Amino acid sequence: MKYVDEYRNAEAVKRCAEAIRRITTRPWNIMEVCGGQTHAIVRFGLDEILPREITLIHGPGCPVCVTPIEIIDKAIAIAARPEVIFCSFGDMLRVPGSQRDLLAVKSAGGDVRIVYSPMDAVTLARNHPQRQVVFFAIGFETTAPANVMAVLQSERLGLENFSVLVSHVLVPPAICAVLDSPQNIVQGFLAAGHVCAVMGIEEYRPIAAQYRVPIVVTGFEPLDILQGIQACVRQLEEGRAEVENQYARVVRDEGNPAALAQIHKVFRRVPRKWRGIGEILDSGWALREEYALFEADRRFAVEGIVADEPAACIAGAVLQGHKKPFDCPAFGIPCTPDNPLGAPMVSAEGACSAYYRYRRSACGNKAESGV
């Protein structure tokens, strides 16, 4: 198969769901790590055609959702400065900080711009040498190569007015954090194919062996996801715990060596705080000291900003798979995409936004009255 509609073929999807039903003999809890997979599952109702024994748990794989509130506050403080052009992907503008969001900064006169690539921000820095241009470098391993390229290109061009506010997070340590939780009920994982296209799959093998959990690298279309679930269930039923690659049309075992070399040249592993979850050891990337010139935290002296999560938001429990969006008393009212309390309601990959968009009716009048 090579066309999208083939991966959404209803008959093929039904056959795969039936194959899962035939091999399932007991209850299993499987976490899809990626928020893009969560949206596909909810949009296409994949969880509703699975046997009742299979429970899908939504994981912390939404980079917008896990960006800590203090990083948002740092971004807001930088973006509000008159000499700054602050560049970001669109999702981040609506993510609430402790007092306001980046869109409010823009409304108040701040020069906040939506870009489609970090290289757009590099171009702005070249074209506006009298301004400071800052790119909000968030994401999992997937977006790291482009952000690294922007830093290296700025170095080659000698741009002293370009910097990045880095909030990169890494998937494998997050999986370990989920498995280490006393509340954990996850027995198998669907790993994000786009992350593994960059990083490869070798880092998952020790996790599968240590925790005795199958990990299946999976794509994002309905048939991809169901094939990933089928492979995971087969392992669970057979008592195996291995790493499998369902997404072999994109992912190689070794990942992308050229991209990895550049990433390790520019970034170093650091502890990283995850929104609603807390600090996870070695779960983030930060610029190496050789590239400190491009570190926006230092350039604008915002390193000391700290903030607490709003008490009404249970985003942390949703991101760890302990709760569903419907379990939040604020879901639908007062928390909506137009008035979000937490990032999962804003992001295009957030679990709360997926449920709000596709399944509000299942929550009854509470959600409907928030429309």
Side-chain angles (χ1 to χ4, degrees), residues 56 89 212:
L56 297 183
F89 298 131
R212 297 297 304 164

Side-chain angles (χ1 to χ4, degrees), residues 119 122 126 148-159:
M119 295 305 295
V122 174
R126 292 185 68 183
V148 164
M149 182 173 64
V151 171
L152 292 175
Q153 180 73 350
S154 296
E155 181 186 45
R156 284 192 289 267
L157 294 172
L159 298 179

Side-chain angles (χ1 to χ4, degrees), residues 180-195:
D180 286 334
S181 170
Q183 298 173 271
N184 174 55
I185 59 171
V186 179
Q187 297 161 295
F189 288 88
L190 304 183
H194 50 9
V195 168

Side-chain angles (χ1 to χ4, degrees), residues 234-276:
R234 185 182 296 112
Q235 284 199 48
L236 289 167
E237 291 282 346
E238 295 175 0
R240 294 185 290 117
E242 302 169 3
V243 177
E244 289 188 46
N245 183 10
Q246 180 276 336
Y247 207 36
R249 68 183 187 274
V250 174
V251 173
R252 296 180 295 180
D253 286 6
E254 70 276 16
N256 186 325
L260 287 171
Q262 297 303 301
I263 288 170
H264 296 314
K265 177 181 178 180
V266 174
F267 284 142
R268 58 188 172 90
R269 293 282 284 263
V270 295
R272 180 70 73 191
K273 187 175 180 181
W274 294 53
R275 186 168 189 151

Side-chain angles (χ1 to χ4, degrees), residues 111-311:
D111 195 346
V112 178
R113 306 191 188 188
I114 296 173
V115 296
Y116 297 97
S117 163
M119 295 305 295
D120 293 341
V122 174
T123 299
L124 282 169
R126 292 185 68 183
N127 293 339
H128 299 274
Q130 76 284 5
R131 304 284 299 279
Q132 288 290 325
V133 177
V134 181
F135 178 72
F136 202 174
I138 71 149
F140 284 92
E141 297 93 329
T142 317
T143 57
N147 293 337
V148 164
M149 182 173 64
V151 171
L152 292 175
Q153 180 73 350
S154 296
E155 181 186 45
R156 284 192 289 267
L157 294 172
L159 298 179
E160 297 183 359
N161 65 326
F162 177 82
S163 59
V164 287
L165 180 62
V166 179
S167 186
H168 268 293
V169 285
L170 310 177
V171 171
I175 290 178
C176 292
V178 169
L179 291 168
D180 286 334
S181 170
Q183 298 173 271
N184 174 55
I185 59 171
V186 179
Q187 297 161 295
F189 288 88
L190 304 183
H194 50 9
V195 168
C196 295
V198 175
M199 302 301 295
I201 67 176
E202 295 304 319
E203 197 170 355
Y204 294 96
R205 297 193 194 279
I207 299 174
Q210 177 184 346
Y211 292 95
R212 297 297 304 164
V213 294
I215 301 175
V216 181
V217 179
T218 309
F220 305 91
E221 294 299 330
L223 199 55
D224 285 323
I225 294 169
L226 289 178
Q227 288 176 349
I229 293 168
Q230 182 180 1
C232 194
V233 171
R234 185 182 296 112
Q235 284 199 48
L236 289 167
E237 291 282 346
E238 295 175 0
R240 294 185 290 117
E242 302 169 3
V243 177
E244 289 188 46
N245 183 10
Q246 180 276 336
Y247 207 36
R249 68 183 187 274
V250 174
V251 173
R252 296 180 295 180
D253 286 6
E254 70 276 16
N256 186 325
L260 287 171
Q262 297 303 301
I263 288 170
H264 296 314
K265 177 181 178 180
V266 174
F267 284 142
R268 58 188 172 90
R269 293 282 284 263
V270 295
R272 180 70 73 191
K273 187 175 180 181
W274 294 53
R275 186 168 189 151
I277 298 175
E279 186 173 274
I280 302 176
L281 186 67
D282 290 333
S283 67
W285 274 325
L287 292 176
R288 292 187 180 276
E289 193 62 34
E290 305 93 286
Y291 296 94
L293 171 68
F294 300 100
E295 193 171 272
D297 301 59
R298 296 190 191 184
R299 182 172 297 189
F300 298 98
V302 295
E303 297 161 296
I305 291 178
V306 295
D308 295 321
E309 300 293 331

